[in-house]
Amino acid sequence: MTDQGRSIHSPCTRDQWWRDAVIYQIYPRSFASSRGPVGDLPGITSRLDYLRDLGVDAVWLSPFYGSPQHDAGYDVADYRAVDPRFGTLADAEALIARAHELDLRVVVDLVPNHTSWDHRWFREAIKAGPGSAERNRYMFRDGKNGGTEPPNNWTSVFGGPAWTRVADIPWVAGTPAAADRQYYLNLFDSSQPDLNWDNPEVHAEFRSILRFWLDRGVDGFRIDVAHGLVKDPALPDWTERTEMLDAGTDPDHTASHPVAPERPPMWDQDGVHEIYREWRSVLDEYGPDRLLVAEAWVQPEERLARYVRDDEMNQAFNFAYLTCPWDREALRRVVEESLSAMDAGGAPTTWVLSNHDVVRAASRLGLTVTGKGPNGIGPRDPQPDAEKGRRRARAWHMLTAALPGSYYIYQGEERDLPEATMLPDDVRQDPAFFRTNGAELGRDGCRVPLPWEAGKPGLGFSPTGDTWLPQPADWERFTVTREEADPDSGLHFFRRLLARRRALGLGIGGLKDVSPEVGGLAYINSAANHSHPDLLTVTACAQPVPFPAGWRRRASSVPFDAAAAVIPPDTTVWFTR
Ligand code: NOJ
């Protein structure tokens, strides 16, 4: 960042609504249910007014398509259908229509790296046998040593081998395919076979799926595992562990989390970009206001920036920010790197602290070591300091809301919701828990159904009171009922935060790093068209920071005694002149 500060004066037309949008992630299984233990689309529609009142601009829905749910819907059996657990296609259309009435955009999830093993294509491939056109839609290979060993040594992101023998698929037993010795690639669960993106038929199918949902009025797509679709054609052995996070190189050792020394053969191959160019032109047929956002765990930031070139996607999730430790210098570095990498191509930066795959920020930040955090926290693990975690999460959110770019919030974050850290093993459902024999607890703790109403069974999540994962006993305090009644609750904090962000035009300002002069982590955000006063945001991480001279305190992440004119640790304060 220069002394003059970084200029982010890109025009924010309605067409490019995402540039400064606040986008709220809904995890349909766990948001709200109109029927029973699993959340559904009518449940979501019934709570859209709540989201409009919160002040968000758009919702992103994790998958709700036809699926056996071996990976909570990221195993899609029918991309053009709504799973009966979640409702019907008419429910999806009603949700989109109601959201639009409320001026909320709707982004849906697209899962192109793999299908479910229940997808018609995969069933056909198994039946048609080796060498068939049907098998060529997936990554089938003969095993080594006469079929006794997998084609290479890759491991699955969820643990265990990344290759499954056809004969080992449970539903193949007793069919002619039981004698089949081929293997198929599954970078995730065995129930999620990887598609073959060298096959034009796969390209055509996904263009058609995009059109199917665009025709129903969706405003964009979040692309699952966007860095994984194309593999090194030689399928070379890879001795490192296969982790989503490893998808890149870090020659200068400046990345905010560990990455592999070389680019892994399953991630971030150059061929993926051709696919996104194709999709960009499909979306453009529907107008300039349709969004593609990449889930791409790619380092360094310059590689990530390739996904958001002019003719590709519009945004990529900023996982370097999410995994950053709660540390002044690390945060300064990641803010600077994120802005400079994206600025180069004119794409807006995104800011994200939580999602359905990581320990919730309000708990992650209460651990002794902050950063990406473990894959789940259980009753036998050291427990986070709840008060510290909540306080830091609010401080980080208040810093984030002052940064230009788009801002993603995961359901429950707006109520300070922590991770459920006491789930017993026998309720866990994440395939990562089973595939690592419990060595990794997995992501269930951030997916527990939301509490809504105090005094109701299941805290108002469903009319029956049933929830597919048990809610912690003390979650009544995170219901809307309780939080509405407390002016210092997360809900009131977030409503005020988003309203101020909008009023001050912060999503699109120019940003200047004034940390050295002011102390702490300090930025001045100046509105693009000078229509609003400058805002100075100051975050104190470990050390207290004196109030800056000549500025007036406007809001803080937590109430504190301001008589000493000092910002206490783990606190953010906004100032105006
Ligand atoms: C990333 C998704 O966010 C995660 O939930 C899923 O398990 C994997 N991709 C596989 O689709």
Side-chain angles (χ1 to χ4, degrees), residues 71 74 111 114 158 188 192 222 224-225 244 295 356-357 443 447:
D71 183 23
Y74 282 95
V111 188
H114 44 265
F158 290 161
F188 294 90
Q192 294 166 296
R222 174 265 188 193
D224 190 60
V225 204
M244 294 273 275
E295 186 219 20
H356 64 293
D357 289 331
R443 304 158 293 174
R447 299 175 173 182

Side-chain angles (χ1 to χ4, degrees), residues 23-352:
I23 304 179
Y24 184 97
Q25 182 190 355
I26 294 180
Y27 192 67
R29 290 180 72 85
S30 305
F31 187 70
S33 171
S34 70
R35 300 183 282 193
V38 176
D40 59 14
L41 300 186
I44 296 170
T45 307
S46 73
R47 302 274 183 195
L48 286 176
D49 291 64
Y50 162 84
L51 295 179
R52 191 260 329 266
D53 295 346
L54 180 61
V56 306
D57 301 293
V59 293
W60 146 38
L61 284 92
S62 282
F64 49 78
Y65 316 112
S67 161
Q69 303 285 312
H70 292 304
D71 183 23
Y74 282 95
D75 48 327
V76 181
D78 187 346
Y79 291 83
R80 297 178 184 81
V82 172
D83 193 276
R85 295 173 186 83
F86 298 129
T88 62
L89 202 51
D91 291 332
E93 287 169 348
L95 187 158
I96 296 166
R98 178 67 187 141
H100 287 167
E101 273 168 27
L102 295 171
D103 213 14
L104 294 170
R105 313 261 180 172
V106 180
V107 176
V108 295
D109 222 301
L110 186 72
V111 188
N113 180 67
H114 44 265
T115 70
S116 157
W117 64 14
D118 283 354
H119 192 284
R120 178 176 61 83
W121 272 9
F122 193 72
R123 295 284 174 152
E124 286 171 5
I126 295 301
K127 223 169 168 183
S132 59
E134 287 85 348
R135 286 225 170 164
N136 193 35
R137 291 162 171 159
Y138 292 91
M139 304 283 292
F140 282 92
R141 293 289 185 280
D142 293 334
K144 291 201 291 208
N145 290 335
T148 55
E149 283 176 43
N152 70 21
N153 69 352
W154 294 4
T155 51
S156 141
V157 173
F158 290 161
W163 295 91
T164 303
R165 215 159 65 132
V166 170
D168 293 337
I169 302 174
W171 43 262
V172 150
T175 72
D180 192 318
R181 298 181 79 87
Q182 275 206 314
Y183 290 74
Y184 63 90
L185 179 67
N186 55 270
L187 286 183
F188 294 90
D189 189 43
S190 336
S191 64
Q192 294 166 296
D194 278 53
L195 284 160
N196 171 18
W197 277 92
D198 283 335
N199 184 338
E201 220 189 326
V202 174
H203 287 246
E205 173 65 359
F206 274 84
R207 285 195 303 268
S208 153
I209 294 167
L210 288 172
R211 289 199 174 94
F212 180 87
W213 288 104
L214 288 163
D215 287 342
R216 274 153 193 82
V218 304
D219 300 284
F221 299 88
R222 174 265 188 193
I223 308 302
D224 190 60
V225 204
H227 58 308
L229 277 51
V230 173
K231 282 82 184 172
D232 179 336
L235 299 178
D237 276 350
W238 175 249
T239 41
E240 309 280 329
R241 246 202 85 184
T242 311
E243 276 193 275
M244 294 273 275
L245 220 53
D246 279 345
T249 57
D250 181 25
D252 306 328
H253 307 286
T254 53
S256 20
H257 56 260
V259 291
E262 285 170 48
R263 178 156 309 108
M266 65 291 282
W267 303 132
D268 194 28
Q269 302 294 304
D270 289 344
V272 294
H273 298 288
E274 202 184 303
I275 302 170
Y276 304 133
R277 283 187 204 110
E278 228 176 74
W279 293 0
R280 171 84 272 144
S281 55
V282 173
L283 265 71
D284 286 349
E285 290 167 20
Y286 290 78
D289 61 346
R290 308 298 162 119
L291 168 73
L292 283 175
V293 52
E295 186 219 20
W297 295 78
V298 170
Q299 286 278 339
E301 295 285 310
E302 289 70 37
R303 288 291 297 186
L304 185 61
R306 291 155 56 95
Y307 289 74
V308 294
R309 288 177 287 197
D310 251 7
D311 54 351
E312 297 191 36
M313 306 220 205
N314 307 99
Q315 301 190 324
F317 289 123
N318 189 346
F319 292 124
Y321 192 64
L322 183 154
T323 54
C324 186
W326 181 244
D327 170 79
R328 174 188 188 242
E329 283 314 312
L331 284 163
R332 270 186 84 196
R333 196 163 56 232
V334 76
V335 168
E336 163 62 23
E337 283 173 6
S338 312
L339 289 170
S340 55
M342 294 297 146
D343 264 9
T349 308
T350 64
W351 308 106
V352 56

